[in-house]
Amino acid sequence: MWRQTKTALHKVLRLNDLLRLRALKSTSAPERALKLQPGQNIHGFTVKEVVAVPDLFLTAVKLTHDGTGAQYLHAARDDANNLFSVQLRTTPMDSSGVPHILEHTVLCGSQKFPVRDPFFKMLNRSLSTFMNAFTASDYTMYPFSTQNSKDFQNLLSVYLDAVFFPCLREQDFWQEGWRLENEDPTDPKSPLVFKGVVFNEMKGAFSDNERLYAQFLQNKMYPDHTYSVVSGGEPLCIPDLTWDQLKEFHARHYHPSNARFFTYGDLPLEQHLQQIQQEALCKFERIDPKTEVPPQPHWPRPREAHMSCGPDALAPDQTRQNTVCVSFLLPDITDTFEGFTLSLLSSLMVSGPNSPLYKALIEPKIGTDFSSVVGYDGSIREASFSVGLQGVSEQDLERVKRVIEETIDQIVLEGFEEERIEALLHKLEIQMKHQSTNFGLSLASYIASAWNHDGDPVALLQINHSVDRFKRALKDNPRYLQEKVQQYFKENTHRLTLSMSPDEEYLEKQAKAEEEKLQRKVQALTEDDRKQIYEKGLELLSAQAAPQDASCLPALRVSDIDPVTARTPVQISSVGGVPVQFCEQPTNGLVYFRALCNLNSLPEDLRPLVPLFCAVITKMGCGSMDYRQQAQQLELRTGGMSVSALVTPDSAHLDTYEQAVVLSSSCLDRNLPHMFDLWRDVFNSPHFTDEERLRVLVMMVAQELANGVSYSGHAYAMTRAARLLTPAGDLQETFGGMEQVKFMKRVAEKQDLNHVIRTLPRLKKHLFNPHNMRCAINATPQEMSNSSKHLETFLKEVSENRKDLKPVRPTTVQPIDPQLESGPTKTLIVDPQYQPCHMKTFFQMPFPVNFVSQSIRTVPFTHPDYASLRVLARMMSAKFLHSEIREKGGAYGGGARMGGGLFTFYSYRDPQALQTLSAFRRGVDWAKAGTFSQQDIDEAKLSVFSAVDAPVAPADKGMSLFVGGVSDDMSHAHRQRLFGVSHQDLVDVAHRYLSVGRCTDGAAILGPENDALRKDPSWIIK
């Protein structure tokens, strides 16, 4: 009877909760928040301020925790993707990387959740749309977001306990930070080496010359306090950190009195406050953490500094690898309006071909591109402005400094054109109206730095207040901006000129310094120490291999996942003989336009030039406009116009794919005719003859590609590994792999670009052909008719470009929407005779770490086994590869993913190479053995669904159909197959597709010199 009563009461309470939620939903989140009053006390917090921010459709509520002084900001907005973050001011005084290693270690278990890695485990027990942690120069932030209210509470519990009550076990410190260990932990005679996740991560980070330069610049610009050190950890200093120092740093910095909490979204604030108070803050008393950062004393005269870096084998010009930059100290970032003004001023000075510093530095081709640090930086207590060049010859270093000085004088004298200021404010208006899927995270990042130093986060959100004040200041004083340039640049003595040049022996010197550091550590060891190190290594190995009981962690269940696919209504029709997809969305007064033009008639020899064509086509001038006038009109009339190459594997056939370029742009509804006029001129009369302009763009593209390899090495390895497995894979390597990096290096090295100039019109004839085109419009219902009208006008005006050109390869015709057999069609490339090939490639790079990938040909999206392989990739990553590659191997990251018909393994910033490939093979054996549980499978499904159900911005709704050919019905069928994946299915697909001898695979490694690979004839050495 009692149990029956309890059940009945439970139903009543649940009904009451549902009624209350309906009542809450009947009013908007911002409206509910506006009812709060300053002085009101809610669960130990006092409301300080309640402010409506209509421009961002939110209400900001600022609170303080009574007991600890913790600061709190809530942004109430009608967005189901709710976000939480807590940030701590972390101010290290050495380069041991203590805040960074602490960020890793607090996520390795806490009082309530003492499992070894609750953070990584929660990735598979939740439907989070974002989970991570960041270490900045002077703060550490722990954010997550989710669309599920139960999930929010679960993740909040885990995050609060991790941050404020971590275990901080010595073993976790060894694993995540650094340790001395036998190279082979099971062999006490093997040499002792440095290991650790952060140690290897920072070795990888410091192999990136751009990152190295930015770090050194900050250290030299602010030499008197925390900014003079490397918060992430300098690899040679990391082994100086002790476990006790880590714990002391946590006790002082990870206290609520030093914390700033931020929540965002449509969930009730009161619920958050109650949970944070009960689970964390009620257990603390107020302290003075003494973490304030004092102002940097200003220099009476400018300074200069020099640094060395490793040579870049991919640089577009090997004789020009110097970087030089001038940086100016600016005011405290807590002055919201001054920061806003200086940020705009920075854009006017350096952004785009109409800016004076672009004209003075980039166009004379003194260097290949701006320095990696350029423009306004408000990320630390006092802001800075930097400008300089990379890709400079040694004899031009002085010239760069002189040109910067002369240009500043010119700006003081002449100021800026009114139209450029208008274009900049228009750009700001579009940025405020554009709705992203991670708006909460963007807000958290935007306010973090100023709030960290007690700036007013609410003032930062009131962007239109700053815009209005800026306009008034300009009206009252036409020389307002020139006077700022005079004050902060011309008369500023706190100015640093930093140059960087390559040293052929740089990597050897780094390796030697590390070896000397290691030997000093090793030589100080007694025999007992060595024995203890060996025993601790075995203990760590044993702990990493031991099964973990994660039952203490909260988790959603598969039954919590919505069984139905959210549908996106679209209308597909024809305008001017061109298929058009219309998708009505709440786009906030913006119209989003895309056009997809296939490349089927493009001659094969022109394919490598497609990415360059895309990069320059909207930047060379068109119609009656030169490139500067074109850039000005783009900023005044649009939210940007871009063209990019696209390769899309067919959802049903591995050897069928679509090759295209995608045109993308957006504009305020009032500018629709102007946007389409700009596209018309790009189609009908692009300018290709200006060799000087083309050379500038070629050098910038080549430099950007070369710079990106050290950061995105895993992506390049994955693309290369897949090259010969599908026809699409070969083209993806041509468009976006190491082949493209090397191709652009060769183009940049050419003395004469006339051949490229003659080729670009040929590309245009094949690429901008309305016969091979389809379009998409995303806009509000009110704007759809107007958008269609202007699109029709545009298509009429470009109709002379329409030509029925013969495809170069065999093709097949498919309906754009698989549900509309008689509707508009698209033409795909088909290669039924394609033979996949096994290939292993090694790219020797000037990195101290590796990027490793293996890719296996499997099945396309609509195949019944695709869902099983997708779940298997996620489960193998979490339950096997994470332990083998990261915990034991010391890589910063690694795992497996399924996509495009390929099952791909990868590792990131990895001290191992061949050992990691072996770990991939052991992962397959683990899957085939089937020793995983139903709980493991359910967690993998949750992780997959968090990606499947990730929020989609109004601008991007319907794009999976338009670009990828995946309809709502196809998505729903895939969803049902994901739900149905069983233990036996996973074992079967591992045997069927991943077994050695039964699969066709490719492998690629980017990394340092490797004798074992060089001696192995099965590897192609690049």
Side-chain angles (χ1 to χ4, degrees):
M1 190 68 155
W2 182 78
R3 284 184 65 180
Q4 228 176 357
T5 307
K6 183 181 176 185
T7 307
L9 180 62
H10 174 71
K11 286 181 178 176
V12 170
L13 289 173
R14 190 156 180 271
L15 179 60
N16 190 48
D17 285 344
L18 288 170
L19 292 170
R20 184 172 58 83
L21 279 171
R22 278 181 200 153
L24 285 172
K25 292 288 184 185
S26 66
T27 57
S28 71
E31 286 172 344
R32 294 197 305 274
L34 273 174
K35 294 176 182 175
L36 298 171
Q37 297 294 320
Q40 187 176 346
N41 192 279
I42 314 169
H43 300 297
F45 288 84
T46 297
V47 177
K48 296 293 183 184
E49 194 177 357
V50 181
V51 180
V53 187
D55 308 315
L56 301 179
F57 304 97
L58 62 83
T59 297
V61 184
K62 196 156 65 168
L63 310 97
T64 303
H65 185 250
D66 302 334
T68 64
Q71 298 179 47
Y72 196 113
L73 181 70
H74 178 64
R77 195 169 189 257
D78 289 325
D79 185 346
N81 194 23
N82 287 268
L83 176 125
F84 164 86
S85 86
V86 56
Q87 72 179 66
L88 301 308
R89 190 193 287 148
T90 45
T91 49
M93 296 307 293
D94 62 42
S95 294
S96 65
V98 58
H100 187 190
I101 293 170
L102 183 59
E103 172 226 306
H104 280 241
T105 314
V106 300
L107 299 174
C108 289
S110 60
Q111 287 181 15
K112 201 189 295 184
F113 309 111
V115 292
R116 200 173 65 246
D117 55 352
F119 175 79
F120 282 99
K121 285 183 167 53
M122 285 306 294
L123 286 170
N124 305 293
R125 299 169 74 88
S126 97
L127 291 170
S128 65
T129 54
F130 184 85
M131 271 181 74
N132 214 328
F134 310 117
T135 302
S137 295
D138 54 11
Y139 69 84
T140 306
M141 178 189 277
Y142 296 86
F144 71 77
S145 60
T146 178
Q147 299 175 95
N148 183 294
S149 59
K150 179 181 173 186
D151 199 26
F152 190 98
Q153 291 175 17
N154 290 348
L155 289 167
L156 183 54
S157 286
V158 172
Y159 266 62
L160 289 172
D161 211 55
V163 169
F164 295 111
F165 312 107
C167 295
L168 297 183
R169 292 173 287 239
E170 188 176 18
Q171 215 169 56
D172 297 323
F173 169 62
W174 299 336
Q175 175 183 286
E176 296 298 317
W178 78 276
R179 64 190 183 275
L180 268 181
E181 189 175 84
N182 295 99
E183 192 168 38
D184 176 356
T186 63
D187 179 6
K189 292 190 174 68
S190 64
L192 291 170
V193 294
F194 287 132
K195 295 183 182 179
V197 172
V198 170
F199 179 75
N200 287 314
E201 177 191 351
M202 296 311 294
K203 279 179 70 174
F206 272 63
S207 68
D208 178 345
N209 288 346
E210 289 189 304
R211 172 86 177 263
L212 190 67
Y213 187 84
Q215 182 65 64
F216 197 86
L217 179 67
Q218 178 178 295
N219 297 157
K220 292 295 180 184
M221 188 77 176
Y222 305 85
D224 293 340
H225 202 261
T226 189
Y227 306 128
S228 66
V229 304
V230 183
S231 66
E234 204 280 312
L236 290 177
C237 298
I238 288 172
D240 295 332
L241 182 66
T242 68
W243 179 42
D244 286 335
Q245 288 169 338
L246 183 89
K247 292 186 288 184
E248 287 165 13
F249 194 88
H250 180 272
R252 180 176 160 203
H253 293 79
Y254 278 52
H255 190 283
S257 299
N258 192 43
R260 286 149 185 82
F261 293 88
F262 176 69
T263 49
Y264 162 90
D266 63 0
L267 290 175
L269 167 63
E270 295 82 355
Q271 183 179 299
H272 303 331
L273 298 178
Q274 182 177 12
Q275 188 174 353
I276 292 167
Q277 165 68 357
Q278 288 178 352
E279 296 187 14
L281 300 197
C282 68
K283 298 166 187 175
F284 291 89
E285 294 179 358
R286 188 188 299 252
I287 64 163
D288 180 0
K290 294 184 169 60
T291 57
E292 295 84 0
V293 179
Q296 166 63 46
H298 282 226
W299 302 336
R301 63 190 64 84
R303 296 182 184 179
E304 296 204 356
H306 178 77
M307 61 181 292
S308 297
C309 65
D312 184 357
L314 298 171
D317 186 340
Q318 292 297 303
T319 64
R320 297 165 60 192
Q321 290 199 48
N322 295 276
T323 296
V324 63
C325 169
V326 182
S327 292
F328 302 82
L329 186 71
L330 298 179
D332 195 306
I333 59 172
T334 59
D335 185 337
T336 302
F337 179 65
E338 199 72 354
F340 176 84
T341 299
L342 288 167
S343 177
L344 290 186
L345 181 58
S346 165
S347 294
L348 290 168
M349 290 172 73
V350 298
S351 292
N354 290 298
S355 64
L357 284 161
Y358 186 104
K359 291 177 186 177
L361 290 170
I362 299 293
E363 291 187 351
K365 298 182 288 296
I366 311 169
T368 53
D369 202 349
F370 279 127
S371 49
S372 59
V373 184
V374 64
Y376 178 81
D377 179 0
S379 64
I380 57 179
R381 170 160 180 180
E382 287 164 292
S384 64
F385 172 86
S386 305
V387 65
L389 288 173
Q390 58 183 311
V392 182
S393 64
E394 199 167 341
Q395 59 265 34
D396 279 334
L397 293 175
E398 289 301 320
R399 180 185 172 193
V400 174
K401 295 184 240 178
R402 189 179 68 251
V403 169
I404 291 170
E405 206 167 302
E406 290 169 356
T407 309
I408 287 170
D409 288 341
Q410 179 195 338
I411 296 170
V412 171
L413 197 65
E414 299 174 6
F416 303 98
E417 296 169 20
E418 199 172 313
E419 197 176 52
R420 288 208 61 228
I421 298 170
E422 187 186 334
L424 197 57
L425 294 174
H426 168 260
K427 185 178 178 181
L428 197 61
E429 183 183 359
I430 283 193
Q431 286 172 347
M432 289 173 66
K433 284 181 175 290
H434 175 73
Q435 298 175 66
S436 66
T437 56
N438 57 352
F439 190 69
L441 182 63
S442 300
L443 284 185
S445 303
Y446 170 62
I447 64 174
S449 295
W451 196 20
N452 190 49
H453 298 287
D454 299 319
D456 182 0
V458 176
L460 281 167
L461 299 178
Q462 295 171 305
I463 299 167
N464 264 350
H465 288 198
S466 294
V467 171
D468 293 341
R469 187 174 164 188
F470 178 75
K471 288 178 178 176
R472 285 196 306 272
L474 274 180
K475 188 178 178 184
D476 294 345
N477 177 9
R479 285 187 55 81
Y480 175 69
L481 290 174
Q482 286 145 281
E483 288 173 5
K484 293 292 179 190
V485 175
Q486 176 85 26
Q487 175 187 356
Y488 292 122
F489 304 116
K490 177 71 177 166
E491 298 171 355
N492 191 345
T493 55
H494 195 114
R495 181 167 76 241
L496 174 70
T497 303
L498 176 64
S499 57
M500 178 173 75
S501 58
D503 178 354
E504 292 295 334
E505 298 177 352
Y506 179 81
L507 284 175
E508 289 174 35
K509 289 175 182 175
Q510 292 295 104
K512 185 182 177 186
E514 184 184 323
E515 182 60 29
E516 288 172 353
K517 179 101 178 181
L518 176 65
Q519 290 310 315
R520 285 196 298 274
K521 293 267 186 191
V522 169
Q523 285 162 14
L525 298 173
T526 65
E527 277 306 311
D528 279 351
D529 292 335
R530 288 172 178 270
K531 186 181 177 188
Q532 200 172 24
I533 285 171
Y534 170 64
E535 288 170 353
K536 285 184 173 181
L538 290 179
E539 287 170 19
L540 180 59
L541 205 59
S542 173
Q544 289 167 339
Q548 289 278 295
D549 179 9
S551 59
C552 62
L553 286 169
L556 293 182
R557 295 186 296 271
V558 174
S559 58
D560 292 319
I561 300 168
D562 191 336
V564 180
T565 299
R567 294 187 169 263
T568 301
V570 298
Q571 180 189 343
I572 296 177
S573 59
S574 184
V575 176
V578 173
V580 181
Q581 174 181 295
F582 295 100
C583 185
E584 295 181 352
Q585 291 293 322
T587 56
N588 201 16
L590 288 170
V591 178
Y592 295 90
F593 166 70
R594 274 93 160 189
L596 196 148
C597 309
N598 76 49
L599 315 179
N600 297 346
S601 66
L602 184 72
E604 302 275 323
D605 62 311
L606 299 185
R607 280 174 152 197
L609 277 165
V610 169
L612 177 61
F613 175 89
C614 294
V616 306
I617 186 64
T618 59
K619 298 183 179 76
M620 295 278 289
C622 60
S624 61
M625 297 177 288
D626 64 22
Y627 66 87
R628 285 188 183 142
Q629 292 166 326
Q630 181 186 26
Q632 186 83 315
Q633 286 303 305
L634 284 181
E635 289 206 336
L636 271 170
R637 304 298 191 183
T638 78
M641 293 170 59
S642 66
V643 183
S644 56
L646 177 76
V647 184
T648 309
D650 183 49
S651 56
H653 306 281
L654 278 187
D655 299 327
T656 302
Y657 64 96
E658 184 165 34
Q659 51 177 355
V661 292
V662 180
L663 287 61
S664 303
S665 65
S666 62
C667 68
L668 296 166
D669 46 27
R670 66 175 183 261
N671 284 323
L672 257 174
H674 302 290
M675 180 179 76
F676 280 117
D677 285 350
L678 286 163
W679 277 123
R680 176 201 62 208
D681 289 346
V682 168
F683 261 70
N684 290 345
S685 48
H687 298 180
F688 290 130
T689 55
D690 186 344
E691 185 179 356
E692 294 301 299
R693 174 61 176 162
L694 180 62
R695 184 165 294 282
V696 166
L697 295 173
V698 163
M699 294 301 282
M700 292 176 85
V701 169
Q703 185 70 61
E704 190 177 338
L705 285 172
N707 291 346
V709 176
S710 65
Y711 183 77
S712 303
H714 63 307
Y716 283 104
M718 291 162 78
T719 303
R720 184 68 179 202
R723 180 182 184 181
L724 297 183
L725 300 181
T726 65
D730 191 40
L731 189 55
Q732 283 164 335
E733 172 70 12
T734 300
F735 283 172
M738 289 299 292
E739 288 298 309
Q740 180 62 205
V741 177
K742 295 192 169 189
F743 174 78
M744 279 309 304
K745 181 179 185 299
R746 292 195 297 273
V747 173
E749 287 167 348
K750 289 179 187 291
Q751 296 300 309
D752 183 355
L753 290 177
N754 273 313
H755 171 70
V756 177
I757 286 174
R758 289 193 302 272
T759 307
L760 291 175
R762 288 179 62 203
L763 280 155
K764 194 214 84 143
K765 180 180 79 171
H766 293 281
L767 270 55
F768 284 1
N769 180 357
H771 182 76
N772 299 332
M773 183 167 154
R774 64 179 183 271
C775 301
I777 297 269
N778 283 30
T780 59
Q782 298 88 329
E783 274 306 312
M784 210 48 97
S785 173
N786 197 28
S787 300
S788 177
K789 182 182 77 177
H790 288 294
L791 174 61
E792 186 171 12
T793 303
F794 160 70
L795 291 171
K796 281 178 185 170
E797 291 173 338
V798 300
S799 59
E800 287 185 13
N801 296 285
R802 190 180 188 102
K803 295 178 179 66
D804 188 2
L805 300 174
K806 185 180 177 184
V808 173
R809 293 188 175 196
T811 60
T812 182
V813 176
Q814 290 184 1
I816 290 173
D817 185 342
Q819 270 65 56
L820 297 174
E821 292 293 336
S822 60
T825 60
K826 60 183 179 182
T827 306
L828 282 69
I829 300 294
V830 60
D831 189 351
Q833 306 305 313
Y834 182 80
Q835 291 295 320
C837 298
H838 170 75
M839 181 176 71
K840 299 190 291 187
T841 313
F842 172 59
F843 292 91
Q844 185 178 326
M845 306 296 293
F847 309 151
V849 289
N850 297 281
F851 300 91
V852 185
S853 180
Q854 180 188 9
S855 193
I856 300 170
R857 178 180 163 107
T858 57
V859 295
F861 178 76
T862 56
H863 191 284
D865 288 339
Y866 185 93
S868 299
L869 286 161
R870 191 171 183 182
V871 172
L872 180 61
R874 188 55 239 161
M875 185 176 69
M876 199 187 292
S877 297
K879 302 300 176 183
F880 185 85
L881 296 173
H882 173 76
S883 170
E884 295 294 312
I885 296 171
R886 182 184 165 105
E887 293 182 350
K888 296 179 188 175
Y892 182 49
R897 59 180 63 168
M898 179 67 193
L902 302 171
F903 192 97
T904 303
F905 298 94
Y906 66 95
S907 73
Y908 183 74
R909 291 183 179 163
D910 188 347
Q912 316 291 342
L914 292 173
Q915 298 92 322
T916 297
L917 285 172
S918 176
F920 296 159
R921 288 192 291 274
R922 292 198 306 276
V924 174
D925 292 339
W926 172 85
K928 286 157 61 178
T931 53
F932 44 86
S933 67
Q934 185 59 44
Q935 176 71 22
D936 296 336
I937 299 169
D938 289 347
E939 288 180 11
K941 288 183 182 181
L942 280 167
S943 183
V944 169
F945 275 110
S946 73
V948 168
D949 292 336
V952 180
D956 299 320
K957 291 275 191 178
M959 285 302 107
S960 57
L961 174 62
F962 179 72
V963 174
V966 177
S967 67
D968 286 343
D969 285 348
M970 290 162 69
S971 294
H972 184 70
H974 176 61
R975 186 182 199 84
Q976 298 313 305
R977 285 195 287 268
L978 286 171
F979 278 120
V981 170
S982 69
H983 188 284
Q984 190 60 47
D985 292 335
L986 296 171
V987 173
D988 287 348
V989 294
H991 278 277
R992 190 176 301 131
Y993 301 107
L994 308 183
S995 292
V996 175
R998 297 190 69 175
C999 66
T1000 306
D1001 71 320
I1005 298 174
L1006 279 68
E1009 175 71 47
N1010 190 313
D1011 287 339
L1013 287 172
R1014 286 199 172 274
K1015 291 172 184 172
D1016 185 341
S1018 69
W1019 284 86
I1020 297 168
I1021 311 298
K1022 290 283 185 177

